[in-house]
Amino acid sequence: MNLRENWRIVMLVVFVLAATAALFAPTGAPDAGANNSSSYGAADGPTNLKFGLELAGGSRIRAPLVGTTAEELDIEQGQRSNIRQTVGNRLNVSTGDVSVVLNTGNGDAVEVLVENVSEQRFRAALTEAGLDGDEATIRRGVTAQTRQQTVETITAKINRGGLSGGQVATQRSATGEQYVVVDVPNANTTEVLNLIGDEGEVSIVATRPVETDNGTVYRNQTVLTNRQLENSQIGIAQSDESGQSFVPITLTEDAARNYSRDLVDLGFTSSEATGRQSCRYRQSPDDPGYCLYTVVDDEVVYAAGLDPGLAEDIESGQFLTAPSFIMQTRSMDEAQNLQINLRAGALPTRLAVNEGTVLFLQQSLGDRFKWQALLTGLIAWLAVSGSVFLRYRNPRVAVPMLATAAAEVYLLIGFAAAIGLPLNLSYIAGFIAVIGTGVDDLLIIADEILNEGEIATGRVFQNRFRKAFWVIGAAAVTTIIAMSPLAFLSLGDLQGFAIVTIVGVLIGVLVTRPAYGDVLRNLMLDQGSD
């Protein structure tokens, strides 16, 4: 075989070997500290495939977040603390249940994260806080930022809870209502609900050097307690124009007063205690300098010094008028982890869980669905095989066609194993759709080549194949365009179906269908020379 002329077949073989490695190669023990939110259902069989809730059994919680949101507001950065205090007092709720979110896409927003908030009282509270309450758009639900924060927090809790993977996502219903969907395989609903509701203990601890007769020792003092942080607003991890990542924090009036007083008394506002080099915890844990530690369940998860500008505001008392500051990080991933740690696993608001929002599927049912899905795929392939043989009655055409279609599905399964994609019924439906579209395109290639008369030379074959490939290429583009909205919108099972279909079409157009053309060329030219 001429490798230069048959490089597409070689490429197909390489991809098949890669898919085999992804399916069967040992993956090693997972890193306990890794974020494995994309792996969903442990691989407990001979392959590395992971299975979703429908095929593994487990629990699903699908519920909206409790809250009422006022949007299309114009809020200055320095107003946030006053707005939270005023709205909380007027509605008789904790300031920790009032959230101010800037740049939501619908202007700035104020959220009240409790049930049964009167729209009339909410507008009056906004007006009293200095905002245009009459023109605000008020709706039930929370902002996209709060939903995303909830997804990240629940994902972190599932990973820390020792459950074998899980998936958390947002989903929009047909009526436009937004839900948070939590799927955890091999876990009962009580276990999942208890994990979601569990909260850790978080605090900010100031560590400073103190000179004694025996030399320098380090003393610790808590400057922000768990309760103070609960009532404060922990903002969404973000980055500025220069790319610096950070988490914004707005303290309540009482917390800000205690925080600033303690930092002054402990000497953190002095010149030697401020700046990036004041905290040396990462370089020298035994000699950290002046550090502010974020401690979650007695474990230090973040350490940093006090910014000179913030120290100056604390010294002058200006900090009390606008008690907001940022905690800078080295990357966006670190900022997102810090945001979650500062909340210590507490959700921004609770899920409105009731009897109709919880689903539990026994593992025995999941195993039954797994075999039924496999049987359905096999029946689909056999049905297509029979139709192809009846149409062509030529093994030289039919056998490579069916082998190519099977290779296409095999590559798709290898892709799923490589990225840890959880297989559920929607993905199985996508596999069946890929079999159908793949064989349909292979039929177009075969018909175009065989129905135009005898194939005398490779150039004739190539011209016919190129003509057929333009047709299937255009069909592939149409399919990808049609499926793209389903793949990117949060539409539940339709999203999984669309993703598998798009990936299958790309594998077919780029790998398997060109390889089938090479196989068919070799067989037809050999036949013509007999």
Side-chain angles (χ1 to χ4, degrees):
M1 182 177 70
N2 190 322
L3 294 181
R4 178 175 294 181
E5 292 182 354
N6 296 279
W7 65 270
R8 298 178 185 87
I9 298 177
V10 174
M11 186 171 68
L12 175 59
V13 172
V14 170
F15 272 87
V16 168
L17 292 176
T20 302
L23 276 167
F24 299 103
T27 58
D31 182 359
N35 186 335
N36 61 346
S37 59
S38 63
S39 81
Y40 175 44
D44 54 1
T47 70
N48 295 323
L49 283 175
K50 297 181 173 59
F51 298 99
L53 188 70
E54 292 138 333
L55 300 179
S59 297
R60 167 175 292 174
I61 298 172
R62 179 179 181 269
L65 292 172
V66 170
T68 303
T69 301
E71 296 176 314
E72 299 184 5
L73 298 170
D74 187 12
I75 300 174
E76 299 293 335
Q77 182 74 27
Q79 293 180 280
R80 299 172 72 169
S81 179
N82 176 64
I83 291 171
R84 295 177 66 235
Q85 193 74 40
T86 303
V87 172
N89 291 340
R90 182 63 185 261
L91 298 180
N92 196 29
V93 299
S94 167
T95 54
D97 292 324
V98 180
S99 174
V100 178
V101 183
L102 304 182
N103 303 319
T104 65
N106 291 318
D108 303 325
V110 177
E111 300 171 301
V112 181
L113 305 176
V114 297
E115 291 181 303
N116 302 322
V117 175
S118 164
E119 180 177 334
Q120 183 177 0
R121 292 183 62 201
F122 197 1
R123 292 188 186 277
L126 294 172
T127 302
E128 187 175 329
L131 302 174
D132 191 350
D134 293 334
E135 296 298 324
T137 299
I138 296 180
R139 60 173 177 82
R140 296 296 177 190
V142 299
T143 61
Q145 288 88 335
T146 298
R147 288 194 298 272
Q148 183 59 33
Q149 186 176 355
T150 302
V151 168
E152 292 172 357
T153 302
I154 295 178
T155 299
K157 290 162 77 71
I158 289 174
N159 292 339
R160 289 177 178 175
L163 299 179
S164 60
Q167 190 174 58
V168 188
T170 59
Q171 186 181 106
R172 182 190 294 272
S173 69
T175 60
E177 188 173 8
Q178 292 281 358
Y179 292 87
V180 171
V181 182
V182 184
D183 286 349
V184 183
N186 305 312
N188 60 54
T189 54
T190 301
E191 185 178 8
V192 176
L193 290 173
N194 288 341
L195 181 64
I196 292 175
D198 183 45
E199 297 181 15
E201 287 290 327
V202 62
S203 61
I204 306 295
V205 176
T207 295
R208 73 196 192 283
V210 176
E211 298 297 332
T212 67
D213 294 339
N214 297 323
T216 302
V217 297
Y218 283 89
R219 301 280 172 79
N220 300 329
Q221 180 172 325
T222 300
V223 292
L224 283 175
T225 65
N226 189 76
R227 177 58 60 184
Q228 289 170 331
L229 286 170
E230 279 183 359
N231 291 329
S232 300
Q233 182 178 356
I234 310 300
I236 304 295
Q238 53 194 281
S239 58
D240 57 23
E241 296 178 353
S242 65
Q244 177 67 59
S245 302
F246 63 90
V247 177
I249 299 174
T250 302
L251 301 179
T252 62
E253 183 178 344
D254 289 341
R257 185 165 45 251
N258 294 333
Y259 180 66
S260 58
R261 183 186 64 241
D262 288 343
L263 291 183
V264 171
D265 292 345
L266 296 173
F268 269 76
T269 56
S270 64
S271 59
E272 64 176 333
T274 58
R276 290 184 176 271
Q277 301 304 317
S278 62
C279 179
R280 303 182 296 271
Y281 174 74
R282 289 190 177 96
Q283 295 78 20
S284 179
D286 296 330
D287 183 24
Y290 287 83
C291 281
L292 294 171
Y293 295 150
T294 302
V295 181
V296 179
D297 292 334
D298 298 325
E299 178 185 356
V300 176
V301 297
Y302 179 78
L306 190 65
D307 181 77
L310 179 58
E312 185 178 340
D313 289 345
I314 291 175
E315 279 277 8
S316 65
Q318 185 177 352
F319 176 72
L320 295 178
T321 62
S324 299
F325 61 93
I326 63 173
M327 298 179 71
Q328 291 185 340
T329 61
R330 294 173 295 180
S331 66
M332 179 55 70
D333 287 342
E334 186 177 7
Q336 291 172 341
N337 289 332
L338 175 60
Q339 168 199 316
I340 293 171
N341 284 323
L342 285 169
R343 297 195 61 86
L347 302 183
T349 183
R350 71 178 185 84
L351 289 167
V353 177
N354 54 50
E355 186 175 345
T357 62
V358 177
L359 168 69
F360 176 68
L361 186 67
Q362 292 182 350
Q363 186 174 358
S364 59
L365 290 177
D367 291 339
R368 185 186 305 172
F369 289 155
K370 193 182 302 180
W371 287 110
Q372 289 175 347
L374 178 62
L375 180 61
T376 301
L378 182 60
I379 291 173
W381 187 82
L382 291 175
V384 170
S385 300
S387 300
V388 170
F389 273 104
L390 287 175
R391 176 177 177 81
Y392 292 104
R393 302 180 185 276
N394 185 348
R396 288 190 177 221
V397 178
V399 172
M401 183 181 296
L402 297 173
T404 302
E408 196 167 304
V409 175
Y410 186 77
L411 292 181
L412 196 54
I413 294 174
F415 170 80
I419 68 171
L421 190 70
L423 298 184
N424 54 32
L425 294 181
S426 66
Y427 292 118
I428 301 300
F431 289 156
I432 295 174
V434 167
I435 293 175
T437 58
V439 173
D440 184 51
D441 289 347
L442 297 176
L443 288 171
I444 292 174
I445 294 174
D447 284 352
E448 184 67 33
I449 291 172
L450 299 177
N451 293 341
E452 297 260 345
E454 184 180 349
I455 304 170
T457 65
R459 178 173 295 180
V460 172
F461 180 94
Q462 194 64 29
N463 289 336
R464 295 179 184 179
F465 176 77
R466 188 179 295 113
K467 183 179 178 181
F469 201 79
W470 274 109
V471 175
I472 65 175
V477 171
T478 302
T479 301
I480 292 172
I481 292 174
M483 290 292 175
S484 293
L486 299 180
F488 290 101
L489 296 176
S490 300
L491 296 176
D493 290 341
L494 288 177
Q495 186 177 39
F497 172 78
I499 290 173
V500 168
T501 303
I502 290 174
V503 174
V505 168
L506 290 174
I507 290 175
V509 171
L510 299 177
V511 182
T512 57
R513 292 158 207 177
Y516 174 71
D518 282 354
V519 172
L520 198 59
R521 181 192 62 213
N522 292 327
L523 292 175
M524 291 299 101
L525 290 179
D526 287 346
Q527 186 182 43
S529 62
D530 289 344

